[in-house]
Each structure stands twice: as structure tokens, then as C-alpha cells.
């Protein structure tokens, strides 16, 4: 998904010719904590109400000194997420290649898009692993999952700066991840956590207790 696909047309804009008092009133009456500033169709910047607190109310909003965070129309969803992570604005302006204002993306639209990308509404389990960087193989992880008649729905990797290891977040299409967990443990993967149905987890814990009691009774 691209930035232009997440634009919400209803998001208002501030005009550079507005007085600061008019801009404050527009921000207060809107549903947003931030609004883009536009001058004759050109994107000028983005403003929060707090940034106007010490400005003379009779002055024009103008074109100078405002933050210019924005993304291009063709920007990918993940880069849009990265831009939102760097600021506290609840909208993100979208511009064309000539810095002409195209529209704005609300943060809610980004959350919905990420949820769809990660298939959070589909049933399944989420497994978190810790893997030495040299041992990481997406092919190997996929094979272990598919050997248990499951499918990898989503796989995300990030480095852990403190340990130097890689953290993998693996989403599979089965709610009971027990067979996959056993395979991962058998191949010396360190499972950090697993999120699945409580009933499935309860069955797994109960089985472990039975195995322990059997061992203690030997």
C-alpha cells in the first residue's frame, strides 16, 4: 500500500494567509492535533496548536519556521510508519514531486493498513524467537513451519542491540502452535514467547505437567 491510498480527504488545511488567531481557531474546531499549512497549493509545513502559543495572534501564519515532515504519493506503507514514529503529529501530509500538497494521512488509517499487512484479524499463533544472526534463515523457518502442516502468514526480523542477536516474530495460520514449537525447540531455536488460544496453551501446559509427574514417579 502507498501513501496516496491512505489519504483522508476530510482533513482540513491551514492557509499561509490566515492569521495566527484564525489558525488556532481552526485547530481547536478540528478533530486533529496537527494540520498542514498550504500556500497557493504548495505545502508549507505542519502545525500543532502549542507551536502557536507564543506567536502574535494578528500575524499571518506565513511560510517560515514550520516543520516540513511529509511523504511523497508513492511512499510505501512502512516508510509512512517510520515518518509517523519520528513525530507526535496525528496526520502526515502527502506531496507530489513538486512539493504540491496532495492530502494528508491520519494515523488511524496507517494502523488499519498495518493490521491488514500483518493479517492480525486472521486466526493463528504468534511465536517470538531469538536467533544468532549467522544462523538466521527465512527458508529454514518456513520449512519447519510447513513440515507441521502450517503456513507462515507473516515474518518480521529486528536486531537486538544489547544481545547482538536477532529477534524474529513469526505468525502462523494455526492457533495451536504446539507442533511448531516442538520442532523449533528440537532444532535448538530459542522460543521467547508464544501467543495463542488459552485452551491450546492450557493443553500444552497440562501435557508438560503429566510428563513431569510421570518422570517423578519413575
Amino acid at each position: 500500500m502507498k501513501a496516496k491510498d491512505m489519504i483522508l480527504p476530510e482533513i482540513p488545511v491551514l492557509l499561509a494567509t490566515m492569521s495566527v488567531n484564525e489558525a488556532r481557531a481552526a485547530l481547536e474546531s478540528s478533530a486533529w492535533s496537527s494540520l498542514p499549512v498550504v500556500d497557493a497549493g504548495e505545502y508549507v509545513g505542519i502545525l500543532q496548536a502549542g507551536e502557536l502559543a507564543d506567536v502574535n495572534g494578528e500575524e499571518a501564519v506565513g511560510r517560515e519556521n514550520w516543520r516540513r515532515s511529509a511523504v511523497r504519493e508513492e511512499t510505501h506503507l512502512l516508510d509512512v510508519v517510520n515518518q509517523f514514529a519520528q513525530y507526535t503529529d496525528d496526520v502526515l501530509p502527502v506531496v507530489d514531486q513538486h512539493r504540491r500538497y496532495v492530502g494528508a494521512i491520519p494515523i488511524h488509517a496507517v494502523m488499519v493498513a498495518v493490521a491488514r499487512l500483518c493479517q492480525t484479524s486472521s486466526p493463528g499463533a504468534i511465536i517470538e524467537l531469538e536467533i544468532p544472526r549467522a544462523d538466521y534463515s527465512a527458508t529454514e523457518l518456513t520449512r519447519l513451519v510447513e513440515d507441521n502442516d502450517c503456513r507462515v502468514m507473516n515474518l518480521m526480523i529486528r536486531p537486538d542491540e544489547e544481545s547482538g542477536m536477532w529477534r524474529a516474530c513469526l505468525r502462523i495460520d494455526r492457533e495451536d502452535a504446539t507442533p511448531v514449537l516442538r520442532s523449533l525447540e528440537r532444532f535448538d531455536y530459542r522460543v521467547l514467547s508464544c501467543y495463542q488460544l488459552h485452551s491450546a496453551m492450557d493443553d500444552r501446559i497440562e501435557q508438560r505437567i503429566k510428563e513431569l509427574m510421570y518422570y517423578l514417579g519413575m
Side-chain angles (χ1 to χ4, degrees), residues 61-161:
V61 170
R63 301 174 56 91
E64 304 297 330
N65 302 321
W66 307 127
R67 291 174 293 108
R68 294 176 62 82
S69 54
V71 292
R72 298 273 284 271
E73 296 173 275
E74 302 299 315
T75 302
H76 188 270
L77 166 62
L78 295 183
D79 288 326
V80 172
V81 172
N82 184 53
Q83 281 289 319
F84 264 112
Q86 296 180 49
Y87 304 98
T88 59
D89 302 306
D90 54 359
V91 301
L92 180 64
V94 180
V95 299
D96 66 13
Q97 59 182 334
H98 302 296
R99 298 291 292 183
R100 303 286 294 180
Y101 180 76
V102 176
I105 303 169
I107 192 167
H108 174 71
V110 176
M111 293 174 65
V112 171
V114 170
R116 288 175 179 169
L117 178 67
C118 297
Q119 303 187 64
T120 56
S121 62
S122 60
I126 300 173
I127 303 169
E128 291 187 347
L129 307 168
E130 187 176 68
I131 309 171
R133 181 169 182 170
D135 296 339
Y136 169 71
S137 169
T139 303
E140 168 96 357
L141 283 173
T142 302
R143 181 186 63 79
L144 287 174
V145 171
E146 293 181 347
D147 283 350
N148 289 281
D149 196 27
C150 302
R151 297 291 180 271
V152 175
M153 306 301 292
N154 192 272
L155 174 60
M156 293 180 286
I157 302 293
R158 68 174 178 85
D160 187 321
E161 301 296 338

